[in-house]
Amino acid sequence: YRAKENKNSFQFYASEMNASMEEKLVLLEGMRSALDACNGGPCAGACQFQLLYQPKVDLRSGRLFGVEALIRWNHPEHGQISPLRFIGLAEESGLIVPLGDWVLRTACAQVEAWRAAGLPELAVSVNVSARQFEEKRLVERIAGALRDSGLAPRQLEVEVTESAIMRDLGRAVEKMREIEAMGVALSIDDFGTGYSSLSALKSFPISRLKIDKSFVADLAHCGDDQAIAMAVISLGHKLGLRVIAEGVETEEQRAFLRANDCDEMQGYLYSRPVPPERIAELLAGQAQSAAGAAAMETA
Ligand code: C2E
Ligand code: MG
Ligand code: MG
Ligand code: MG
């Protein structure tokens, strides 16, 4: 009886594995052909990949000062696929390199288009995953995206995780220095979930720490998370860095972060990731109310 049961459960497990392997291969093939259609750069319309942009706002002034580019895959059969489902696969297969290049180029071109349209200046951050970060030509790729779009380097920021950096610390710091030397900012994403040591952190040429959203989720009720958030804010400030909290969903979380001197926030409370047209609207609205306030002052 027992053996049979085991055998059945093994069969079940095996077929489930096959299904997920098959699913992986299908996704991978789809990614490859979708990427081919993109021709490696910002593409007009037909592309299955899309960047959404999530606003980052200053906690004191409420000003929208930047956006994070977040990829979406609009699959013709499966609908919208989350990056949590395909970025890992893109990493394993190496497709992350051309895909990441597309993200960089598209984000740079978009922010430059906002500037050319006369909207207030904005910074964009782009996520760079481990394999992409390690790749030899990353620095050249960033330089290429800047050159071809005409975007000013100060408007671009690269988000890396502690784990990507710690895979080869010496080389990572060297690469970060090269990126910084181009005038591009760096931030540590999901800070607190990786395992970088404080002595390593001290040597990173970064300008911003992003408090991971797992510490923000229960911020209003959990003393431990409050302690962690406060420690990250004070550590960041002592190292001369700006600190941004991700995943801010409630007014209580915002109030806590503000009261504890966090600089910036990002999260559903202000806005979900949205298409570029919506960012243009937000920016135009902000420019208008700033002009209104200035007119009031001089009146
Ligand atoms: P991340 O870089 O830490 O991005 C933050 C994630 O939190 C995004 O999920 C965002 O939509 C989500 N988020 C923002 N505000 C809130 C909030 O208030 N509450 C909650 N619950 N979630 C919030 P998304 O877009 O699904 O991306 C997931 C991860 O996939 C990203 O985490 C990043 O690691 C990766 N990713 C996304 N786009 C790219 C990309 O273009 N390249 C690379 N290499 N990775 C990417
Ligand atoms: Mg990020
Ligand atoms: Mg993050
Ligand atoms: Mg995260």
Side-chain angles (χ1 to χ4, degrees), residues 68 159 189-190 210 212 246:
E68 175 174 6
E159 297 191 7
D189 204 355
D190 306 340
K210 302 193 76 173
D212 188 66
E246 56 175 28

Side-chain angles (χ1 to χ4, degrees), residues 58-254:
D58 185 281
L59 266 166
R60 278 166 287 267
S61 65
R63 197 176 76 91
L64 164 62
F65 70 92
V67 290
E68 175 174 6
L70 294 158
I71 194 168
R72 297 293 179 266
W73 181 6
N74 302 308
H75 194 281
E77 289 144 49
H78 306 299
Q80 195 170 83
I81 306 178
S82 155
L84 298 172
R85 269 187 72 202
F86 66 85
I87 291 293
L89 210 56
E91 278 268 303
E92 281 172 41
S93 62
L95 275 186
I96 193 67
V97 171
L99 188 64
D101 214 44
W102 177 85
V103 171
L104 258 172
R105 289 175 169 278
T106 304
C108 288
Q110 180 60 68
V111 179
E112 177 56 19
W114 285 325
R115 192 205 57 78
L119 293 165
E121 185 172 311
L122 190 75
V124 66
S125 63
V126 168
N127 292 284
V128 168
S129 49
R131 183 147 174 194
Q132 205 184 341
F133 185 66
E134 283 167 355
E135 196 247 340
K136 277 201 314 290
R137 297 185 47 217
L138 174 68
V139 176
E140 283 168 60
R141 289 176 190 281
I142 295 173
L146 288 171
R147 188 190 344 102
D148 294 349
S149 63
L151 185 72
R154 65 164 185 281
Q155 287 181 263
L156 179 63
E157 180 170 314
V158 167
E159 297 191 7
V160 252
T161 60
E162 293 162 88
S163 8
I165 294 170
M166 296 308 284
R167 286 219 225 169
D168 184 346
L169 181 59
R171 208 173 267 164
V173 171
E174 206 175 291
K175 193 166 277 188
M176 288 194 282
R177 292 221 176 94
E178 289 177 62
I179 294 170
E180 188 208 24
M182 285 192 285
V184 171
L186 281 150
S187 59
I188 305 292
D189 204 355
D190 306 340
F191 186 73
T193 63
Y195 47 93
S196 58
S197 67
L198 295 180
S199 63
L201 183 64
K202 199 178 69 176
S203 70
F204 299 167
I206 54 175
S207 49
R208 188 176 264 114
L209 293 181
K210 302 193 76 173
I211 304 178
D212 188 66
K213 60 178 178 302
S214 63
F215 304 118
V216 175
D218 290 326
L219 203 51
H221 315 287
C222 174
D224 289 350
D225 287 344
Q226 294 178 350
I228 291 168
M230 288 161 76
V232 174
I233 294 165
S234 109
L235 174 68
H237 287 170
K238 282 184 178 127
L239 294 173
L241 310 175
R242 296 184 73 75
V243 180
I244 183 165
E246 56 175 28
V248 178
E249 294 183 354
T250 69
E251 195 49 61
E252 286 113 304
Q253 291 164 346
R254 172 169 53 193

